[in-house]
Structure formats: structure tokens, C-alpha cells
């Protein structure tokens, strides 16, 4: 990957409304511009905010790496017509023009933001300074390291092979950890994941004594005494979210003991009776008819803040969309068979995101998870890491079946669904798989779950219910031509 030395300088205003300035090129010889930008902590915060804001780009988590292409690959949606704009994705025709462009754009944007992270890290240096004192040094450098790991990890999960003993030593992708104009070498999945976990561990060390989320909580309200630099921690890759990401990374490498330890230690801290950092959604908020909390915002450990999230809903789910443009559980009608098949308890809060709407001319089952609700809970959230995933990691990795079932049923109870009693590890794993599918819809995690587990049977895109066989090669998206062409020249 030939890295672009460019910073997107976007300012997250203290009111937490978003404003983005023009792109500012930072050339290697333009040291004056860099020095002005990083002259104080405000400059560092602007640079870091720019990374978060650009992560909401449609090419990444503003659409394709969450509700769009990634969830289509996970076979969430009914799609039996070749005229549907996502049909080539659900059938894994990666060589078609649309998928090629989508994944090329995701690759470019991710590595562009990784380059931005490296610029910030270079300017942070190795210790606090007059321009960047504590706690800002620890928080900014820690978040930036974690973001670099987060973006790299998702590129490996998308473009890399299924992680196995046989595949992990093969060179697959570049891990960019410094500013360079040269083409970075491919490294093995094993070394790549070592770099991911090294960055996350370094971030944890930097943030464990500096991130106010550990002492003051998420603080999702304006600071009555001044600026909001250290507030709204759910919208930042905070200390707890980094630990959750580390558990996710361990599990990708099939290091279940490490994943279990990380998950349980994290849960023990954030679920103390005297200090519940991420409380479960309440029945009142989940079932509200006026302002329902469909993303279970209090449980979200890390999300992006996107004031244009409603546009995501309008592009993908709106009832007025034509059948060949809408992501739906049926052919654009009111058939609820796929919903009934997915949710095994009619009282499940998640079931409420699917409702039959009518525009006057079209009546259809519609996913309302990201529908805009003025002044509603989590109105601008795009969740990327949530508490329930940590619980499911603990359930999957527990060496004791009864303990694993306990963590699993915490998720069920939080969703107002009946608890279950799997009779063995295999049955528990099946239940966990089903729970992931219910829990992560619209968040881009299910395809990676299938890939990690080499799942051979997935939901059938061409029928309202039922399954189809999966070919393992379909889990590996080919590297973009923009990358391979650099290496062939």
C-alpha cells in the first residue's frame, strides 16, 4: 500500500454537532503547516476528530462496512432478483463492477485513515509535552493507536483468509505503522494480528489512568463547566471499548483462553452493582412508541456519531424504495416469515425494529433500526462495539458450560427473550450463532462471525426462509486492483 500523507481536519464542535473543514494536504516538506496544526492539544483533537468523522464515510461504517455490503454478504436479506443493486454481493460475485468498486473504496479509505493515524502518532511522540500534556497525551495517543488497530483488523477480516494454523503464516496484507511513500510489504496473518494486539495493548496502557470513562462514566451530556473534549466517551474508542476489541482480536486468532479472560475482566469492571457503566436498555425505552431506543444506546461501548445517519436509512431501508434497491426480508411486501424465523421470542425487543409501514402507495415490512427519531436515544449512533458482544465472547469461550450459558442468557434477558438451557457445548454454540445474527443486524459483524467459524450453512438469500450451502472461498474478498496493480508494476 502506497500511503497518502494527508490529514482530514474536521472539527467536532463542543455542542457535538459536526462541522467539517476542507481537506488540508500536509506534504513532507510543509513542516510549517504541521507545526501549526499540532501546536496545542486543540490541534491534535481536530486531527483525531477528522479520523472519526471520515469513518462515517459511506465507503466505510457510514454504510458499506455496516448495514450495506457487509450485512448483504452475511445473507441477512431476501434477494432473488439479479436486478437488485446488491444481488452480486449476496451471490459473492466479487469480480462484478459494483462489488469491485465498493471494496476498493473501503480499502482506500481505511488505509487513508490509517495514514492519518500515523501522522498523529508521529506528532504525539513518546511522552507528554507542553503542546500535548496529560491526560490528553494518553487519551489521544491511545485512541489513535486503537483506531489504527481497528481499521487494520477490519481489512484483515475482510480481505484476509480464514485464520487457521495452515493459513496464518502466509503473507496476506500490509500493516502500516509509520509514514512512508514506499509500497509496504505483505506480512502473515499471524504477524498482522500480533501488530493489532500490540497496538491495542499499548493503547490500554496509555488510557488506563487517563480515560475519564473509568472514573466518571460515559458522560453523554454537555460539560456544564467548559468544553466537551473528554465527554461523550461512547463516541470514542475509549478504554473499555479497546479492551472489548482486544477480546474480539483474540477470538479471531482462536485464542479462547485469552479472549475469555479479557472479556470477563472487562465485564467485572463495567457491571459492578455500584458502577454500571453500560446499563442494559430499559423496557420503557425499548418499547416506547414515541422515542424507542432501537440501538440500545446505553449498552454501546463504541459508536460513530453521524448526523446523516437518517440518510443511511433512506438509502437502504425506506418503505418508499423500489424492491430492487431496498434491503428487505421479503420481496418488498408484508411477508414476515423471515422475521418470525429470526426471532424465536415474539417479545424480543429486537423484533420491534421490523414493522409494516405504508407510504400511501407502498405497504411493506421495513427495518426501522436507523430511522430518524428527533431527540430520540442514540439518534446519531452507528454502533461498532457493544456490551452484548463481550457477553457472547465470554459465553463462547468459557471452559465451563454452565458459566457460558449464564453469560449467554444475560443477553437474552436484556432483550426480553426467554432464557435457554443448551445441553452441551455444540448446542450452546448454535444458540450463540443465532444470537449474534439477531444482535448485530445493521452493524457489519455477522459476516465476520461466519468467516471466523468457517460456517458452511448460511441463510438463503433467494427464499424468505431456509438455508443454503456456503463455499469457504466466498469468505475472502479479493484484494482491490488498486493494491495489486502497485505490486505488479
Amino acid at each position: 500500500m502506497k500511503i497518502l500523507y494527508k490529514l482530514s481536519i474536521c472539527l467536532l464542535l463542543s455542542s457535538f454537532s459536526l462541522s467539517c473543514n476542507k481537506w488540508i494536504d500536509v506534504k513532507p516538506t510543509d513542516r510549517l503547516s504541521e507545526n501549526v496544526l499540532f501546536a496545542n492539544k486543540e490541534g491534535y483533537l481536530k486531527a483525531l476528530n477528522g479520523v472519526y468523522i471520515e469513518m462515517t464515510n459511506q465507503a466505510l461504517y457510514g454504510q458499506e462496512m455496516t448495514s450495506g455490503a457487509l450485512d448483504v454478504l452475511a445473507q441477512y436479506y431476501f434477494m432473488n432478483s439479479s436486478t437488485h443493486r446488491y444481488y452480486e454481493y449476496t451471490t459473492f460475485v466479487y469480480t462484478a463492477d459494483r462489488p469491485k468498486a465498493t471494496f476498493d473504496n473501503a480499502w482506500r479509505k481505511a488505509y487513508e485513515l490509517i495514514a492519518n493515524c500515523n501522522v498523529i502518532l508521529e506528532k504525539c511522540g513518546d511522552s507528554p509535552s507542553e503542546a500535548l500534556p496529560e491526560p490528553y497525551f494518553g487519551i489521544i495517543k491511545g485512541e489513535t493507536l486503537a483506531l489504527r488497530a481497528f481499521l487494520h483488523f477490519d481489512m484483515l477480516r475482510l480481505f484476509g483468509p480464514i485464520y487457521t494454523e495452515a493459513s496464518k503464516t502466509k503473507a496476506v496484507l500490509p500493516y502500516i505503522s509509520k509514514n512512508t511513500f514506499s509500497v509496504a510489504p505483505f506480512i502473515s496473518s499471524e504477524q498482522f494480528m500480533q501488530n493489532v494486539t500490540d497496538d491495542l495493548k499499548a493503547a490500554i496502557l496509555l488510557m488506563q489512568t487517563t480515560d475519564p470513562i473509568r472514573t466518571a462514566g460515559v458522560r453523554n451530556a454537555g460539560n456544564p463547566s467548559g468544553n466537551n473534549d473528554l465527554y461523550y466517551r461512547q463516541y470514542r474508542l475509549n478504554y473499555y471499548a479497546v479492551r472489548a476489541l482486544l477480546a474480539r482480536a483474540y477470538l479471531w486468532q482462536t485464542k479462547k483462553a485469552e479472549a475469555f479472560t479479557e472479556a470477563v475482566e472487562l465485564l467485572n469492571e463495567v457491571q459492578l452493582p455500584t458502577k454500571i457503566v453500560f446499563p442494559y436498555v430499559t423496557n420503557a425505552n425499548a418499547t416506547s412508541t414515541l422515542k424507542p431506543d432501537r440501538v440500545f444506546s446505553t449498552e454501546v461501548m463504541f459508536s460513530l456519531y453521524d448526523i446523516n445517519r437518517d440518510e443511511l436509512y433512506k438509502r437502504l431501508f425506506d418503505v418508499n424504495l423500489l424492491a430492487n434497491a431496498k434491503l428487505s426480508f421479503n420481496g418488498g411486501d408484508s411477508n414476515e416469515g423471515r422475521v418470525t424465523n429470526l426471532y424465536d421470542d415474539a417479545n424480543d425487543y429486537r423484533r420491534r425494529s421490523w414493522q409494516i409501514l405504508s407510504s400511501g402507495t407502498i405497504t411493506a415490512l421495513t427495518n426501522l433500526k436507523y430511522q430518524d427519531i428527533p431527540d430520540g436515544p442514540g439518534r446519531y449512533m452507528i454502533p461498532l462495539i457493544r456490551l452484548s458482544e463481550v457477553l457472547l465472547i465470554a459465553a463462547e469461550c468459557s471452559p465451563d458450560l454452565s458459566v457460558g450459558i449464564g453469560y449467554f442468557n444475560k443477553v437474552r434477558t436484556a432483550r426480553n427473550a426467554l432464557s435457554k438451557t443448551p445441553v452441551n457445548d455444540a448446542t450452546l454454540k448454535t444458540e450463540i450463532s443465532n444470537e449474534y445474527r439477531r444482535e448485530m443486524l445493521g452493524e457489519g459483524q455477522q459476516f465476520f462471525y461466519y468467516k471466523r467459524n468457517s460456517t458452511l450453512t448460511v441463510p438463503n438469500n433467494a427464499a424468505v426462509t431456509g438455508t443454503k450451502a456456503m463455499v469457504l472461498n466466498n469468505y475472502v474478498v479479493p484484494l482491490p486492483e488498486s493494491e495489486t496493480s502497485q505490486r505488479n508494476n
Side-chain angles (χ1 to χ4, degrees):
M1 185 72 186
K2 190 172 292 185
I3 294 304
L4 299 174
Y5 198 100
K6 181 169 66 173
L7 277 176
S8 170
I9 308 305
C10 299
L11 175 62
L12 191 58
L13 298 179
S14 60
S15 65
F16 225 74
S17 61
L18 302 184
S19 174
C20 184
N21 299 326
K22 66 181 182 180
W23 286 77
I24 301 176
D25 289 322
V26 183
K27 302 179 179 64
T29 57
D30 191 5
R31 310 311 294 184
L32 177 62
S33 296
E34 288 184 66
N35 291 337
V36 171
L37 176 64
F38 295 106
N40 49 44
K41 70 180 190 307
E42 286 76 19
Y44 285 90
L45 288 168
K46 288 179 183 179
L48 181 56
N49 288 341
V51 175
Y52 283 113
I53 291 172
E54 283 301 309
M55 287 174 71
T56 67
N57 188 286
Q58 288 184 43
L60 289 177
Y61 307 100
Q63 180 164 315
E64 302 302 356
M65 291 291 290
T66 50
S67 296
L70 261 291
D71 268 11
V72 173
L73 292 181
Q75 309 301 302
Y76 269 114
Y77 302 108
F78 172 82
M79 217 173 287
N80 67 349
S81 171
S82 61
T83 63
H84 197 288
R85 58 173 165 163
Y86 276 109
Y87 184 76
E88 294 157 335
Y89 302 74
T90 202
T91 53
F92 309 107
V93 185
Y94 295 125
T95 56
D97 289 343
R98 281 181 177 173
K100 282 173 65 176
T102 293
F103 296 120
D104 184 274
N105 290 337
W107 174 276
R108 287 173 181 267
K109 177 57 72 172
Y111 274 99
E112 176 186 290
L113 295 184
I114 288 167
N116 289 354
C117 288
N118 285 330
V119 173
I120 298 169
L121 290 169
E122 179 185 86
K123 302 304 294 185
C124 281
D126 298 323
S127 59
S129 63
E130 183 177 351
L132 190 63
E134 293 288 22
Y136 292 92
F137 171 79
I139 292 172
I140 291 172
K141 186 169 184 178
E143 286 184 34
T144 307
L145 280 167
L147 285 169
R148 182 171 76 180
F150 183 98
L151 291 162
H152 273 114
F153 186 23
D154 271 3
M155 290 301 98
L156 180 71
R157 292 200 293 173
L158 185 59
F159 296 101
I162 297 172
Y163 196 94
T164 65
E165 286 298 313
S167 70
K168 71 180 185 180
T169 58
K170 298 177 182 178
V172 287
L173 266 69
Y175 198 97
I176 314 297
S177 56
K178 61 181 180 180
N179 298 313
T180 177
F181 286 94
S182 61
V183 177
F186 281 1
I187 59 175
S188 69
S189 296
E190 186 173 36
Q191 182 58 56
F192 194 101
M193 288 306 301
Q194 185 63 54
N195 291 348
V196 167
T197 55
D198 285 348
D199 274 352
L200 294 177
K201 289 176 181 178
I204 289 168
L205 287 174
L206 285 162
M207 299 171 73
Q208 64 183 0
T209 58
T210 56
D211 192 339
I213 197 171
R214 299 193 76 189
T215 54
V218 297
R219 296 198 293 192
N220 282 338
N223 181 1
S225 304
N227 65 55
N228 293 321
D229 292 348
L230 304 181
Y231 279 61
Y232 299 99
R233 298 302 293 162
Q234 281 179 292
Y235 297 97
R236 293 292 182 265
L237 197 43
N238 60 73
Y239 171 83
Y240 294 130
V242 176
R243 294 202 66 176
L245 183 57
L246 181 59
R248 181 190 287 178
Y250 279 140
L251 189 50
W252 184 261
Q253 299 169 83
T254 68
K255 295 181 178 180
K256 286 192 172 184
E258 291 89 339
F260 181 71
T261 297
E262 195 66 36
V264 171
E265 288 182 359
L266 174 57
L267 291 170
N268 287 342
E269 181 167 348
V270 301
Q271 293 192 313
L272 282 172
T274 56
K275 190 189 73 171
I276 299 177
V277 184
F278 303 101
Y280 297 120
V281 66
T282 64
N283 178 272
N285 284 343
T287 62
S288 171
T289 56
L290 295 177
K291 296 181 180 179
D293 187 354
R294 296 189 179 117
V295 299
F296 312 139
S297 60
T298 55
E299 302 177 31
V300 175
M301 304 183 84
F302 169 49
S303 71
L304 297 178
Y305 185 93
D306 185 6
I307 60 170
N308 296 312
R309 196 189 72 176
D310 187 47
E311 295 303 314
L312 168 68
Y313 168 78
K314 291 176 180 177
R315 288 192 300 267
L316 299 182
F317 303 108
D318 194 288
V319 68
N320 290 298
L321 290 170
L322 297 177
N324 65 355
K326 183 180 181 180
L327 296 183
S328 173
F329 268 18
N330 53 44
D333 52 36
S334 301
N335 188 327
E336 296 186 80
R338 204 173 181 94
V339 173
T340 303
N341 180 258
L342 177 59
Y343 303 97
D344 59 355
D345 190 321
N347 295 313
D348 193 320
Y349 294 149
R350 295 165 294 195
R351 169 68 178 80
R352 301 174 71 89
S353 286
W354 291 97
Q355 296 183 24
I356 297 174
L357 298 187
S358 179
S359 66
T361 56
I362 299 175
T363 299
L365 182 70
T366 305
N367 185 332
L368 304 180
K369 183 170 183 175
Y370 292 138
Q371 182 189 44
D372 188 45
I373 302 174
D375 300 320
R379 181 182 183 185
Y380 299 130
M381 270 186 169
I382 298 180
L384 297 182
I385 301 175
R386 58 170 60 251
L387 177 67
S388 55
E389 181 184 358
V390 183
L391 289 165
L392 291 174
I393 289 173
E396 181 178 347
C397 298
S398 173
D400 183 285
L401 177 62
S402 62
V403 172
I405 292 173
Y407 285 117
F408 168 78
N409 279 325
K410 283 188 177 183
V411 178
R412 297 279 300 177
T413 301
R415 298 296 169 258
N416 198 39
L418 291 174
S419 295
K420 295 192 172 186
T421 54
V423 295
N424 53 40
D425 290 334
T427 308
L428 175 60
K429 185 59 182 290
T430 298
E431 293 292 353
I432 289 170
S433 299
N434 293 334
E435 209 62 34
Y436 258 94
R437 192 165 163 244
R438 288 185 278 267
E439 187 70 9
M440 303 301 178
L441 194 152
E443 299 179 19
Q445 296 301 319
Q446 188 62 29
F447 178 71
F448 295 142
Y449 178 87
Y450 288 149
K451 182 171 182 175
R452 172 170 63 81
N453 289 285
S454 300
T455 303
L456 293 172
T457 302
V458 295
N460 187 359
N461 67 281
V464 172
T465 59
T467 61
K468 68 178 182 181
M470 181 66 164
V471 177
L472 291 182
N473 286 342
N474 289 340
Y475 286 121
V476 183
V477 177
L479 285 175
E481 290 180 357
S482 62
E483 176 64 26
T484 56
S485 63
Q486 293 185 53
R487 299 178 185 277
N488 296 330
N489 293 336

